[in-house]
Amino acid sequence: MKIVIVEDDPGIRKELKQLLENAFYEAEIIEEFKDTAEQICSMIPAPDLVLLDWNLPGESGFDICTKLKEHSDIPIIFLTSRTDSMDELTGILKGADDYITKPFNPPILLARIGVVLKRTIDKNAEKS
């Protein structure tokens, strides 16, 4: 399963990539935050999930989420330092599948990724 990491902090990016790869996921990093949704939608193969920070240079995670949901059904988990309940509500209402605040607990993050992926796989299997 391929997970795209959209995070501007190099330390957190590295930590997430290692965590995901240790859990046997394929992790791909986005480091240029211009036309991010288009970058993600044009990936081959398409990602199975996006971990998305909210506060990014150039383009907000909120805008990226909105654009992604207009063009795809790739699940999105916000992973952000924004702890305000209105931000969380906005993220979920705009289509995010989950919202996790930093600092995150690695086993909990992996569990929540697994739940979102299972739900997505089950939903896609029902369509077939």
Side-chain angles (χ1 to χ4, degrees):
M1 302 230 118
K2 179 177 174 179
I3 299 176
V4 174
I5 301 165
V6 184
E7 167 64 56
D8 63 326
D9 182 298
I12 295 174
R13 270 198 312 256
K14 182 179 178 185
E15 180 183 357
L16 286 169
K17 183 171 175 51
Q18 185 168 9
L19 175 69
L20 293 171
E21 289 174 347
N22 288 345
F24 304 105
Y25 292 109
E26 177 187 345
E28 188 159 336
I29 292 173
I30 299 269
E31 297 182 73
E32 296 293 321
F33 307 107
K34 184 175 188 318
D35 301 321
T36 307
E38 291 81 0
Q39 288 181 61
I40 294 167
C41 288
S42 66
M43 289 180 174
I44 299 173
D48 297 292
L49 184 130
V50 175
L51 286 179
L52 181 60
D53 191 6
W54 189 296
N55 298 317
L56 297 165
E59 192 172 28
S60 79
F62 178 79
D63 292 337
I64 294 166
C65 179
T66 301
K67 290 175 188 174
L68 276 173
K69 289 303 179 178
E70 288 173 358
H71 302 290
S72 77
D73 58 357
I74 300 168
I76 298 169
I77 296 177
F78 271 111
L79 185 58
T80 180
S81 58
R82 295 178 71 125
T83 59
D84 185 82
S85 60
M86 286 308 297
D87 290 336
E88 182 174 355
L89 177 62
T90 300
I92 298 297
L93 290 175
K94 283 297 181 178
D97 296 271
D98 204 345
Y99 192 101
I100 300 169
T101 57
K102 298 175 192 170
F104 59 89
N105 179 313
I108 300 294
L109 175 61
L110 289 173
R112 291 173 82 169
I113 287 170
V115 167
V116 169
L117 288 171
K118 182 181 182 321
R119 187 172 59 231
T120 304
I121 291 166
D122 290 348
K123 187 168 68 172
N124 290 338
E126 289 174 8
K127 290 180 182 177
S128 302

